[in-house]
C-alpha cells in the first residue's frame, strides 16, 4: 500500500478535526435541554431533577417603544454572544401598547417566544403595566391565549404584573393575580408564574404574609442599584425566610429612573446577594436609548452582532456576569 502523501494526511487530519468538532457541537445542550421543566421547591427555582438553578439574562424594553429588538436574530445573538439563558419580552399594556394595538404587540411577543423555543432558552412573558388591576380583562385574554398556545413548552415563564404602584397586596394585587392564574392554569398546569408586588415590585415581604395558594408561583423583586440598597435586600431576606421564591425579573445598574451613573460596586453587591440566594435575574434593558440603563448605543443594529463599541458601560458590566452564570448553568 502506498504511503499517504502529505496533502492526503493533512486533508485527513482536517476531516477528523471537523468530524469531532461537529460531534462536540451536537453534544452541547441548550439551556432548556439541560434544565428542562422548571418548578419551585420551597424558596428555589429548580430544574427537572429538582436541583436549584439560576436563570440569567436580559429584558427587552417596552414593546411599543423599542420594538426593533423583538426579532429572531436579536434573541439568538443574546443567547450566542451574551449567553442569556432567559430573555424577557415586555408587552407594553397602556401608552399605545396592547390595549391600543393588540395584534401588533402580540405579534412582537410571539416572535420572541418562537425564537426562544427554537434556540432553547427561557422567555418571561411580561405584562408590562403599572396599573394592571384596571386591565384585568385584557390580562385574562392575553394570558389565556399565550398559555393555550405555548403552555406545553417548558420555555415559558408568565410574569402577570410588572410593577404595581403603592397599592395593597391583599386587597388589589393578590385578587388580580388569582384571577389571571386561574385562566393560565386551565391551559398550563405547571409552568412558573411570577407575581408583581407592591411599590414597583419591591415589597415581597407583604406578599410573604399572605401568599397565593398554588404551585410554582414566584414573586418578583425589582431593584436599581443606584437607588435601592441593603434595606431592600433585607426585605427580600424577610420574604425568603417566610418561604417565598423570589425572581428578579427586572433590575438596573443605575438609578431607578433608568439613568444617572452606573453603580458598579452596588451592582456587584446585588449579584452577590442574588447568587447567594440562587435568585434568577434579568437586566433592564436591551435598548438603544439615551439613558445609562440602556445596554446599547443609539442606533445599535436591531439584529444583534454588536461589537464592544456598541455596548455601553451597563451592558458591559451585565454581560460579564451573564457569561459567568451561563458557564455555571451549563457545566
Ligand atoms: Ca406547562
Amino acid at each position: 500500500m502506498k504511503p499517504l502523501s502529505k496533502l492526503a494526511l493533512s486533508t485527513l487530519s482536517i476531516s477528523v478535526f471537523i468530524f469531532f468538532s461537529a460531534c462536540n457541537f451536537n453534544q452541547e445542550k441548550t439551556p432548556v435541554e439541560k434544565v428542562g421543566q422548571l418548578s419551585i421547591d420551597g424558596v428555589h427555582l429548580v430544574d427537572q431533577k429538582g436541583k436549584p438553578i439560576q436563570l440569567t439574562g436580559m429584558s427587552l424594553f417596552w414593546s411599543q417603544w423599542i420594538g426593533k429588538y423583538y426579532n429572531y436574530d436579536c434573541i439568538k445573538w443574546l443567547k450566542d454572544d451574551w449567553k442569556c439563558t432567559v430573555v424577557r419580552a415586555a408587552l407594553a399594556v397602556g401608552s399605545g401598547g396592547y390595549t391600543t394595538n393588540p395584534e401588533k404587540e402580540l405579534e412582537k411577543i410571539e416572535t420572541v417566544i418562537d425564537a426562544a423555543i427554537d434556540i432553547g432558552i427561557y422567555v418571561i412573558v411580561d405584562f408590562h403595566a403599572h396599573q394592571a388591576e384596571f386591565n384585568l380583562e385584557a390580562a385574562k385574554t392575553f394570558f389565556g391565549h399565550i398559555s393555550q398556545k405555548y403552555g406545553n413548552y417548558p420555555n415559558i415563564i408568565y410574569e402577570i404584573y410588572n410593577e404595581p404602584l403603592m397599592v395593597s397586596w391583599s386587597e388589589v394585587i393578590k385578587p388580580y393575580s388569582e384571577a389571571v392564574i386561574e385562566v393560565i392554569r386551565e391551559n398550563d398546569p405547571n409552568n412558573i408564574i411570577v407575581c408583581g408586588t407592591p411599590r414597583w415590585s419591591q415589597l415581597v415581604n407583604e406578599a410573604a404574609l399572605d401568599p397565593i395558594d398554588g404551585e410554582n408561583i414566584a414573586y418578583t423583586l425589582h431593584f436599581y442599584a443606584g437607588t435601592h440598597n441593603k434595606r431592600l435586600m433585607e426585605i427580600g431576606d424577610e420574604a425568603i425566610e417566610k418561604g417565598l421564591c423570589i425572581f428578579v425579573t427586572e433590575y438596573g445598574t443605575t438609578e431607578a429612573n433608568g439613568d444617572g451613573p452606573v453603580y458598579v460596586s452596588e451592582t456587584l453587591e446585588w449579584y452577590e446577594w442574588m447568587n447567594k440566594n440562587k435568585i434568577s435575574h434579568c437586566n433592564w434593558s436591551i435598548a438603544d436609548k439615551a439613558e445609562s440603563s440602556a445596554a446599547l448605543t443609539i442606533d445599535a443594529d436591531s439584529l444583534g452582532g454588536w461589537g464592544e463599541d456598541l455596548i455601553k458601560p451597563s451592558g458591559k458590566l451585565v454581560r460579564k456576569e451573564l457569561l459567568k452564570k451561563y458557564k455555571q448553568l451549563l457545566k
Side-chain angles (χ1 to χ4, degrees), residues 7 13 43 59 100 159 249 270 310 315 317-318 323:
L7 179 66
S13 57
V43 299
S59 176
T100 314
E159 182 181 6
T249 55
W270 274 102
L310 298 182
L317 174 65
V318 171
L323 300 188

Side-chain angles (χ1 to χ4, degrees), residues 146-202:
I146 295 292
S147 58
Q148 191 174 39
K149 188 165 176 180
Y150 296 107
N152 288 331
Y153 291 96
N155 310 66
I156 310 297
I157 296 166
Y158 308 94
E159 182 181 6
I160 59 178
Y161 194 161
N162 163 48
E163 287 182 356
L165 302 179
M166 198 59 230
V167 292
S168 159
W169 163 258
S170 294
E171 301 299 320
V172 178
I173 307 168
K174 188 182 179 189
Y176 164 90
S177 303
E178 286 171 330
V180 178
I181 289 169
E182 192 184 338
V183 171
I184 294 173
R185 285 294 181 243
E186 278 172 22
N187 299 317
D188 182 349
N190 57 351
N191 282 32
I192 306 298
I193 300 175
V194 186
C195 299
T197 54
R199 204 176 75 195
W200 292 274
S201 285
Q202 293 166 30

Side-chain angles (χ1 to χ4, degrees), residues 97-117:
Y98 179 70
T99 52
T100 314
N101 298 305
E103 284 169 20
K104 188 176 160 196
E105 295 310 310
L106 182 62
E107 197 187 330
K108 291 177 197 166
I109 303 303
E110 292 195 355
T111 299
V112 173
I113 295 175
D114 291 338
I117 291 171

